[in-house]
Amino acid sequence: MSTPFSSSKDWLSRLANHGYRLTEPRRVIVEIIAASDRALNPLEVFDLGRDACPGLGLVTVYRTLEKLEDLGLVQRVHQADGCHAYLRAANGHEHILLCNQCGQAVFFAGDDLTSLLERVARQSGFEIQEHWLQLHGLCARCRDSVR
Amino acid sequence: MSTPFSSSKDWLSRLANHGYRLTEPRRVIVEIIAASDRALNPLEVFDLGRDACPGLGLVTVYRTLEKLEDLGLVQRVHQADGCHAYLRAANGHEHILLCNQCGQAVFFAGDDLTSLLERVARQSGFEIQEHWLQLHGLCARCRDSVR
DNA sequence: CTATAATTGAAAACGATTTTCATTATCAGA
DNA sequence: TCTGATAATGAAAATCGTTTTCAATTATAG
Ligand SMILES: [Mn+2]
Ligand SMILES: [Mn+2]
Ligand SMILES: [Zn+2]
Ligand SMILES: [Zn+2]
């Protein structure tokens, strides 16, 4: 069970190693996503980003998120209302557990679906290449506050 | 393992029972989705629909899909490029297996995640309410044609 | 320090979806 | 079967999130 928090230092050096320049808007955006415990959409990143960098443009948020996704540092999260929110990417084979109330994201590992996948492959004739698994519920705090 | 095919008759009476009128555009749209073995986006439904109903409007496709979703007859399918395609809804506890090549959708049941869910709930402190599982691969036909 | 090219933000463009609105069609009731 | 109320339709306009364009700014190699 790992928190979504991540080191923004690492991400910045990854950007630099790939030939991207280190700019103030990028530092701010990377810091926001790395420090967030829930998925954020571009507008949310923009609003948070303007606190630290008043001139920030929404375009830059879109462009930076796209680069971070290409580098495998962030991932899109699929939710009931769409898939426009970003979270740090999984480390290895992890899946996400999301709080339906506050959005808090927690990563977990150790799922073993091999026997299910084998059975479904056999019965369907498909060659199974990937599995998407996502859990939804209430975090401890929200469960208490709801009742 | 069940095919996605469904009876459009049932859907039409469901619409009627909920006070909706049975119109030609609705009959056509319902028939297309119920007969499809893969998820279709609004524009695809529109293009297919115009063959049977030349005056059909794209707006009507959007409106009808929304109603079918509200009635629980169709569901949105999440894919790498977004979640704008519709497929018949699952019958009870089923999940979807999609072909990465041709889009063919197959429903499967019988996944048992209880021990995983219990472990993750215990370790995270969450109360888990739903799980979202989707498999991706190559159907028998596409596997053969790829090599 | 300088030159070059990447990056930026404002504005315009874009494309998917939604809203508005006048016309048409369904269907309950006469 | 006919009729009236009103639900549903499609064209056009509006909206909204996202992308493109472009001139100005800035990071970085040398
Ligand atoms: Mn897994
Ligand atoms: Mn299941
Ligand atoms: Zn919560
Ligand atoms: Zn296929």
Side-chain angles (χ1 to χ4, degrees):
Chain A
M1 205 68 38
S2 78
T3 79
F5 299 102
S6 188
S7 165
S8 62
K9 298 288 179 195
D10 296 346
W11 295 15
L12 292 172
S13 47
R14 270 292 262 299
L15 280 168
N17 291 340
H18 282 260
Y20 295 116
R21 293 180 178 177
L22 297 184
T23 67
E24 192 54 20
R26 283 180 183 163
R27 267 187 272 268
V28 167
I29 292 166
V30 159
E31 175 60 29
I32 286 168
I33 309 237
S36 177
D37 71 338
R38 64 186 190 84
L40 300 172
N41 65 39
L43 199 59
E44 290 173 317
V45 174
F46 175 64
D47 286 336
L48 291 168
R50 286 176 80 110
D51 294 342
C53 183
L56 181 66
L58 180 55
V59 222
T60 301
V61 173
Y62 278 99
R63 289 190 278 225
T64 303
L65 290 174
E66 186 183 23
K67 285 186 175 59
L68 294 174
E69 192 178 14
D70 289 347
L71 292 180
L73 298 172
V74 306
Q75 67 183 124
R76 269 169 209 265
V77 173
H78 292 257
Q79 291 177 280
D81 60 324
C83 31
H84 307 286
Y86 292 81
L87 191 68
R88 81 147 171 88
N91 290 148
H93 187 158
E94 287 181 325
H95 298 283
I96 308 172
L97 164 59
L98 296 173
C99 177
N100 281 325
Q101 188 75 30
C102 70
Q104 186 188 150
V106 171
F107 287 85
F108 66 90
D111 59 305
D112 182 8
L113 303 181
T114 49
S115 71
L116 170 66
L117 299 186
E118 276 170 20
R119 200 200 82 221
V120 173
R122 186 165 6 93
Q123 293 181 347
S124 65
F126 274 56
E127 173 189 322
I128 296 176
Q129 298 174 325
E130 314 154 55
H131 62 271
W132 290 2
L133 174 64
Q134 197 167 284
L135 307 182
H136 300 261
L138 286 179
C139 73
R141 171 134 44 110
C142 288
R143 177 154 35 80
D144 292 345
S145 69
V146 165
R147 191 167 344 96
Chain B
M1 204 71 36
S2 78
T3 78
F5 299 102
S6 187
S7 164
S8 62
K9 299 284 178 200
D10 296 346
W11 295 15
L12 292 173
S13 47
R14 271 290 265 299
L15 279 167
N17 290 340
H18 282 259
Y20 295 116
R21 293 180 178 177
L22 297 184
T23 66
E24 192 53 20
R26 282 180 183 164
R27 268 187 271 268
V28 168
I29 292 165
V30 159
E31 175 59 30
I32 286 167
I33 308 239
S36 177
D37 72 336
R38 64 186 189 84
L40 300 172
N41 64 42
L43 198 59
E44 289 173 317
V45 174
F46 175 65
D47 287 336
L48 292 168
R50 287 177 79 111
D51 296 341
C53 182
L56 181 66
L58 180 55
V59 220
T60 301
V61 174
Y62 276 99
R63 289 190 278 225
T64 302
L65 290 174
E66 186 183 23
K67 285 186 176 57
L68 294 174
E69 192 178 13
D70 289 347
L71 293 179
L73 298 173
V74 307
Q75 67 183 126
R76 269 170 209 263
V77 174
H78 293 256
Q79 292 177 282
D81 61 325
C83 28
H84 308 287
Y86 292 81
L87 191 67
R88 80 149 171 84
N91 289 147
H93 187 159
E94 288 181 326
H95 298 282
I96 309 171
L97 165 59
L98 296 174
C99 177
N100 282 324
Q101 187 76 30
C102 70
Q104 186 188 150
V106 172
F107 287 84
F108 67 90
D111 59 305
D112 182 7
L113 303 181
T114 48
S115 71
L116 171 65
L117 300 185
E118 276 169 22
R119 201 201 81 218
V120 173
R122 185 163 9 93
Q123 293 180 346
S124 66
F126 273 57
E127 173 189 323
I128 296 176
Q129 298 173 324
E130 313 151 56
H131 63 270
W132 182 62
L133 175 64
Q134 197 168 285
L135 306 183
H136 300 260
L138 287 179
C139 73
R141 172 135 44 111
C142 288
R143 179 153 32 81
D144 292 345
S145 69
V146 165
R147 189 164 352 96

